[in-house]
Amino acid sequence: MSSRQAIRRLDYTPPSYLIDRVDLTFELSDTHAKVISRLIIKRNIGVSSDTPLVLHGEELTLESIKLDGTPLTSAHYVIDDSTLTIASMPDDGILEITTRLLPAENTSLMGLYQSNGNFFTQCEAEGFRKITYYLDRPDVMAKFTTTIIADKTKFPVLLSNGNRVGSGQLDKNRHWVKWVDPFKKPAYLFALVAGKLVVLAGTHTTPSKRCINIEIYVEPGNLDKCHHALAAAQKAMAWDEERFGLEYDLDTYMIVAVSDFNMGAMENKGLNIFNTKFVLAKPDTATDVDFDGIDSVVAHEYFHNWTGNRVTCRDWFQLSLKEGLTVYRDQEFSSDIGSRAVQRISNVRALRETQFAEDAGPQAHPIRPDEYLEINNFYTWTIYEKGSEVVRMYATLLGTDGFRAGMDLYFKRHDGQAVTCDDFRAAMADANGTNLDQFERWYSQAGTPVLSAKAEYNEAAQTYTLSVTQSCAATPGQAEKLPFHLPFAIGLIDRRGQDLPLQLAGEIAAKGSTRVLEITNTTQTFTFINVPCPPVPSLLRDFSAPVVLDFAYSDDELVFLMANDSDAFARWEAANTFALQLLKNQYAAAGRGETLAAPAAFIAAYQKLLTSDKLDPALVALMLELPRENYLLEQLSDVDPVRLYEVCRALKQQIARELRQELLAVYQRLNDGAPYAYDGEQVARRSLKNICLDYLAELDESMISSLIAKQYQRADNMTDRLAALKALVNRDGGEAQLADFAAQWQSDALVMDKWFTLQATSRRPGALSRVQQLLEHPAFSIKNPNKVRSLITAFCLANPPHFHAADGYGYAFAADHIIALDAINPQIAARLASSFNRWTKVDAGRRELMKQELERIRGTEGLSSDTFEIVTKALG
């Protein structure tokens, strides 16, 4: 295990030296890369003259070093595994360093590496130190000039940050291209790409009449799959201009797609590098979810140009400053170009299934962590998704105009700077003349708050009193929590299903039918007056804060809200809560050896959803989808995951049996043979059609088998074909269709990833054996993160009954591959290790088996700091 020491936020000190300018020259060849860096360095104000210069560097071969033109010998500097130290530095100096790299051997995919013979970089968070010795920290911002030299036949495309300012021909078929980035940036935003690529080009004209070139680079053969990504970039540019008044600031915006990539994408200034998953799509290879993902990720990385690049984070503890804010921005973009209700529900469901579990487990941390061992481990659901919810609360508390005023002030104050979460909060407070001191606790306290609400109606006084108490469970290192400042949006609905006007005691008139109550104390009471009848409360509308709501709704009230609530999230929440309560009761009954069927009211509520012609089909689909097993596991203790799976499937089968006629009618109505189009109406119709198919697939009928097979055969798009193939795989294995699918798509890596995942997540017996066989498939490579995620990670995180098999083989399989991956790509290994995070939630026998595997992983010689940190925290 690495001897690296934990880094603490409170230990932050400004850099001793600053870098004004960086001139980089890359000489690329098949076997190695030579990097010459010329750094103009100055000592920071107030730093003692005897303070050494300490540069970061890892896995580098130093060829030479000069200071102000004079070569330095080994007597002038000290090198270890992670630093180069020069004891004697002038106040200002020019340092020239030459390093040699072996990108083809770089399986970590950090720094400069090769994929399919092409060169790519990934420098966030600390990858630049694998390219050259440097002050690799986000608060050191410099202007970069980059010259790339390579063989013109093998590497005809040479890209870097900024604007292309020159190119030319050299000897031996070599050519060069020079790039200048006019904006200061930290090293984590540096990017370089070199290789055989083709480009799809487009343009966007800004409100100030500047014409921006948009270029998307991919490997030959993929150009026809880039049009959706190009359109997404154009939509994102227009949206950011309209919503926040932000124009792009370079001449060209470039996206490059690579199949070997640890993340989804990276926002390097002007040259965004993307996982192919979030660029390549056409109807016969990509699902509706894939198209939606491309819209979201392209927008996210583009929006980083201002929230992350122009204003960046001072240190990595402030990571949510850029990521949480930019996730909020891409969610708002997706809401505006699609269905706001569906987008909100989908985001909340993902937050609950992943981030809430993170908050309740051994990896819990605030969105601004206090310390870390390996920064790569803090690219988490908490930083991104909870971080976005914290930003959304500003908008909820301050209103649309108030939030925009805060954003404007933030950019005015901090453009070109590396700043903190406190700077963002101060801009919001100052722009609105309000006090947000207590709101800081969202940055410093981990855990998911619980809001316990109780209500009382006084018929004589016609008042409705709501009492709200907030609490937050202990998390690692934080036993006690102070009250949060949070918005609590509510409505009151009368017996006719109409929203009531809301007037608080002391107000002279009602103010709308949805009110945002500010919760700041441990317990607060709110009294509404002029309430003519006992209402049904609609609480936490639009999920106004990332909290767990505890309110004792009756089944009748949940059914009423499902049918009548004007707030789409609250409507979905009622259906989700009803199903969640039922499944928890059924699981408890199964533990007693009893069988508890769903009550008639539950089935009737689902029937009403299926027969409604007024609701958005996409909303109906979401309301019909039962809570997932991993989310249910979080609601229980000492869980038998196999029993939980059986309970979930039994409820699904009951719904299918009792609502067969309605499910079939909706399916047939929506399966109208219309040509595929990726638009809101068709996406909604397909989502409802395919959830009906998913339920019908639970019925052991030859007619249903024929219906599913027919959809597979006739589908003109990947959404419908994959839905049918999933149903076939779970019913009878779908061997013939799986073979047909693989034969058709064996040359398309992203489609084969879907094929791997279908088999890795199959509920049929023998799932682990199939996964082990697929590890030997020609389309699988353990060195490719997408392949690992599609097969190994999918099995461990998305197939609970088989991963948690009582014999423990699933746990041993995961541990074996975590250890193997750690030697190849520690980031991917550490993420796979998160499959053990909730080992204390399962029953005693499985707990012991999981603990043994965690200890085996931790005891592995040479374990990376990435994996060691995750495993050690999991063990507690």
Side-chain angles (χ1 to χ4, degrees):
M1 199 283 296
S2 169
S3 60
R4 184 170 179 171
Q5 298 297 308
I7 298 172
R8 282 171 274 273
R9 180 172 61 87
L10 294 180
D11 292 340
Y12 171 84
T13 55
S16 298
Y17 290 85
L18 301 174
I19 300 177
D20 286 334
R21 180 173 164 180
V22 184
D23 294 326
L24 296 170
T25 300
F26 287 80
E27 297 180 13
L28 306 177
S29 74
D30 291 337
T31 59
H32 69 280
K34 182 178 178 180
V35 183
I36 303 169
S37 67
R38 182 175 180 271
L39 313 178
I40 299 178
I41 300 177
K42 64 180 179 182
R43 185 178 290 111
N44 207 348
I45 297 171
V47 174
S48 169
S49 60
D50 60 0
T51 301
L53 171 66
V54 181
L55 302 177
H56 305 101
E58 295 177 3
E59 302 172 20
L60 301 173
T61 298
L62 179 66
E63 290 197 344
S64 67
I65 181 168
K66 297 178 182 178
L67 178 59
D68 292 330
T70 301
L72 300 183
T73 68
S74 57
H76 297 96
Y77 58 85
V78 176
I79 290 181
D80 60 25
D81 289 343
S82 59
T83 59
L84 182 155
T85 302
I86 300 175
S88 180
M89 275 292 295
D91 289 345
D92 298 279
I94 299 176
L95 200 61
E96 187 174 302
I97 303 172
T98 302
T99 55
R100 186 182 181 90
L101 319 176
L102 300 174
E105 299 178 15
N106 182 2
T107 61
S108 72
L109 310 183
M110 291 294 291
L112 180 67
Y113 66 93
Q114 284 185 274
S115 172
N116 292 337
N118 298 322
F119 287 91
F120 300 92
T121 56
Q122 172 57 36
C123 294
E124 187 177 358
E126 296 177 340
F128 193 75
R129 63 190 62 189
K130 290 189 173 186
I131 294 174
T132 187
Y133 288 99
Y134 195 78
L135 288 171
D136 191 6
R137 47 188 288 172
D139 56 353
V140 174
M141 302 175 70
K143 290 186 177 181
F144 280 67
T145 296
T146 305
T147 302
I148 311 167
I149 302 169
D151 183 278
K152 190 171 185 177
T153 302
K154 295 177 180 178
F155 308 103
V157 173
L158 305 176
L159 308 175
S160 191
N161 308 92
N163 297 314
R164 176 173 166 154
V165 298
S167 61
Q169 191 71 28
L170 298 173
D171 59 342
K172 299 179 181 179
N173 199 41
R174 294 190 306 162
H175 69 137
W176 62 272
V177 177
K178 185 175 184 179
W179 296 84
V180 173
D181 188 346
F183 297 96
K184 284 191 171 185
K185 65 174 179 285
Y188 83 84
L189 291 172
F190 172 79
L192 176 147
V193 172
K196 289 185 177 180
L197 302 169
V198 292
V199 60
L200 177 67
T203 61
H204 169 74
T205 302
T206 70
S208 63
K209 306 306 180 184
R210 292 177 58 242
C211 182
I212 307 300
N213 297 311
I214 305 172
E215 298 174 352
I216 300 181
Y217 292 86
V218 295
E219 292 183 353
N222 287 326
L223 206 58
D224 62 332
K225 302 174 188 173
C226 300
H227 293 280
H228 187 76
L230 176 60
Q234 291 166 328
K235 287 185 292 186
M237 286 183 168
W239 183 88
D240 215 17
E241 290 161 355
E242 180 179 353
R243 181 72 178 268
F244 290 106
L246 300 173
E247 286 191 8
Y248 188 63
D249 51 11
L250 293 170
D251 298 335
T252 304
Y253 173 62
M254 297 175 285
I255 289 174
V256 179
V258 57
S259 58
D260 293 296
F261 203 66
N262 287 338
M263 305 182 191
M266 177 63 207
E267 72 268 19
N268 320 291
K269 182 70 178 180
L271 177 58
N272 291 183
I273 299 179
F274 275 56
N275 191 317
T276 50
K277 176 179 174 63
F278 295 107
V279 173
L280 306 181
K282 58 182 183 178
D284 57 342
T285 64
T287 65
D288 292 337
V289 172
D290 293 328
F291 280 109
D292 181 66
I294 290 170
D295 279 335
S296 175
V297 175
V298 168
H300 181 95
E301 304 309 328
Y302 172 74
F303 295 156
H304 264 313
N305 185 63
W306 281 91
T307 52
N309 297 1
R310 287 286 288 261
V311 184
T312 194
C313 46
R314 185 195 70 178
D315 54 70
W316 292 120
F317 298 103
Q318 320 297 330
L319 181 59
S320 195
L321 174 73
K322 72 182 186 77
E323 295 300 349
L325 175 55
T326 306
V327 170
Y328 168 76
R329 277 156 50 72
D330 81 55
Q331 289 177 353
E332 284 294 287
F333 166 77
S334 295
S335 296
D336 284 345
I337 67 169
S339 166
R340 179 163 290 273
V342 169
Q343 180 69 29
R344 187 66 184 133
I345 293 165
S346 299
N347 294 150
V348 172
R349 187 170 61 176
L351 180 84
R352 287 175 169 173
E353 291 173 356
T354 52
Q355 195 280 320
F356 277 20
E358 194 167 83
D359 248 350
Q363 313 293 341
H365 58 275
I367 66 168
R368 184 188 59 202
D370 291 323
E371 69 175 41
Y372 61 80
L373 181 64
E374 176 51 65
I375 184 55
N376 292 327
N377 289 334
F378 279 90
Y379 285 76
T380 61
W381 285 93
T382 296
I383 297 295
Y384 282 70
E385 308 305 323
K386 186 175 182 179
S388 74
E389 293 298 322
V390 170
V391 173
R392 185 174 297 276
M393 284 190 288
Y394 283 114
T396 303
L397 288 166
L398 302 174
T400 301
D401 292 342
F403 184 79
R404 171 63 189 271
M407 290 286 284
D408 289 348
L409 182 58
Y410 176 64
F411 293 125
K412 181 178 179 180
R413 284 178 173 177
H414 302 298
D415 187 12
Q417 298 177 12
V419 299
T420 69
C421 296
D422 288 333
D423 292 319
F424 182 79
R425 181 169 53 89
M428 286 289 159
D430 294 348
N432 289 276
T434 189
N435 187 316
L436 291 172
D437 290 352
Q438 186 177 342
F439 198 82
E440 187 275 339
R441 293 172 189 168
W442 284 105
Y443 293 94
S444 58
Q445 294 186 158
T448 304
V450 175
L451 289 188
S452 298
K454 295 182 179 180
E456 181 180 350
Y457 179 70
N458 186 318
E459 185 172 6
Q462 293 196 340
T463 59
Y464 185 83
T465 301
L466 186 68
S467 178
V468 183
T469 299
Q470 64 164 302
S471 61
C472 188
T475 54
Q478 292 184 342
E480 301 292 334
K481 306 296 173 68
L482 295 170
F484 292 86
H485 179 187
L486 59 92
F488 186 44
I490 77 161
L492 300 177
I493 306 174
D494 69 18
R495 60 175 63 95
R496 299 171 302 161
Q498 301 298 310
D499 280 345
L500 292 168
L502 300 183
Q503 182 179 1
L504 285 165
E507 293 179 341
I508 60 174
K511 299 179 181 178
S513 57
T514 296
R515 294 292 296 269
V516 176
L517 308 177
E518 293 196 38
I519 308 295
T520 54
N521 299 325
T522 300
T523 299
Q524 284 177 250
T525 299
F526 304 88
T527 299
F528 294 91
I529 60 175
N530 297 326
V531 182
C533 62
V536 176
S538 171
L539 304 178
L540 200 65
R541 284 186 158 182
D542 202 39
F543 198 66
S544 57
V547 301
V548 172
L549 176 64
D550 177 17
F551 184 81
Y553 281 115
S554 68
D555 289 355
D556 287 344
E557 287 176 320
L558 292 172
V559 171
F560 178 84
L561 291 171
M562 286 174 66
N564 296 290
D565 204 314
S566 62
D567 183 85
F569 168 78
R571 198 170 209 161
W572 169 82
E573 178 75 313
N576 185 69
T577 301
F578 200 175
L580 181 64
Q581 291 176 353
L582 174 59
L583 284 165
K584 289 166 69 175
N585 292 337
Q586 289 180 321
Y587 177 80
R592 301 189 297 268
E594 303 169 3
T595 299
L596 179 64
F602 182 84
I603 300 298
Y606 271 43
Q607 181 182 43
K608 190 169 184 179
L609 287 173
L610 285 164
T611 55
S612 171
D613 58 0
K614 297 179 181 179
L615 292 176
D616 176 2
L619 178 59
V620 174
L622 287 169
M623 293 175 73
L624 289 171
E625 190 168 348
L626 296 173
R628 294 170 185 161
E629 291 158 55
N630 283 334
Y631 178 61
L632 279 161
L633 187 144
E634 289 297 319
Q635 318 302 313
L636 304 166
S637 300
D638 294 322
V639 182
D640 178 342
V642 176
R643 188 205 310 163
L644 183 60
Y645 158 74
E646 291 169 348
V647 164
C648 291
R649 189 176 180 201
L651 176 57
K652 195 172 180 182
Q653 289 174 330
Q654 182 186 350
I655 294 168
R657 286 194 308 270
E658 297 194 27
L659 296 178
R660 179 188 183 279
Q661 179 178 343
E662 290 83 358
L663 289 163
L664 192 57
V666 172
Y667 176 83
Q668 291 172 337
R669 174 171 58 84
L670 297 175
N671 193 39
D672 56 7
Y676 178 88
Y678 178 72
D679 61 46
E681 181 180 355
Q682 276 218 23
V683 169
R685 290 168 65 87
R686 276 190 294 274
S687 65
L688 181 53
K689 176 184 73 173
N690 286 322
I691 198 158
C692 289
L693 183 73
D694 189 51
Y695 274 108
L696 290 167
E698 297 295 332
L699 303 175
D700 186 15
E701 300 177 15
S702 59
M703 189 275 278
I704 300 298
S705 297
S706 175
L707 180 146
I708 298 169
K710 190 176 295 184
Q711 174 164 316
Y712 174 78
Q713 294 160 3
R714 296 182 178 179
D716 69 343
N717 64 87
M718 185 57 71
T719 303
D720 284 345
R721 177 161 291 186
L722 207 64
L725 185 56
K726 176 185 175 184
L728 291 165
V729 167
N730 281 327
R731 280 168 66 85
D732 57 16
E735 283 81 6
Q737 290 84 2
L738 281 170
D740 169 74
F741 192 90
Q744 182 178 359
W745 298 110
Q746 58 186 323
S747 61
D748 191 306
L750 293 177
V751 178
M752 289 302 289
D753 288 347
K754 303 178 195 302
W755 186 76
F756 283 128
T757 298
L758 280 180
Q759 296 171 85
T761 57
S762 170
R763 70 188 184 203
R764 289 178 58 78
L768 178 55
S769 296
R770 287 192 297 276
V771 169
Q772 290 171 319
Q773 292 169 7
L774 289 169
L775 292 172
E776 305 302 320
H777 194 279
F780 180 82
S781 170
I782 199 168
K783 293 183 179 180
N784 180 273
N786 282 355
K787 300 302 176 192
V788 173
R789 286 186 281 258
S790 69
L791 185 61
I792 301 173
T793 305
F795 172 78
C796 296
L797 291 180
N799 198 337
H802 290 290
F803 175 65
H804 291 289
D807 56 20
Y809 288 156
Y811 306 147
F813 168 81
D816 287 344
H817 286 87
I818 290 164
I819 293 169
L821 278 163
D822 190 70
I824 299 168
N825 190 328
Q827 281 190 49
I828 302 303
R831 289 170 193 167
L832 181 58
S834 68
S835 58
F836 285 91
N837 277 349
R838 304 304 282 140
W839 65 278
T840 58
K841 296 291 292 184
V842 297
D843 57 78
R846 290 178 172 86
R847 258 199 317 271
E848 182 58 30
L849 291 170
M850 293 185 86
K851 183 180 180 182
Q852 290 173 9
E853 297 300 340
L854 280 167
E855 290 173 338
R856 176 162 73 93
I857 298 167
R858 185 170 64 173
T860 301
E861 185 176 354
L863 195 69
S864 70
S865 57
D866 304 62
T867 305
F868 178 84
E869 181 176 32
I870 295 294
V871 171
T872 300
K873 285 184 176 180
L875 284 167

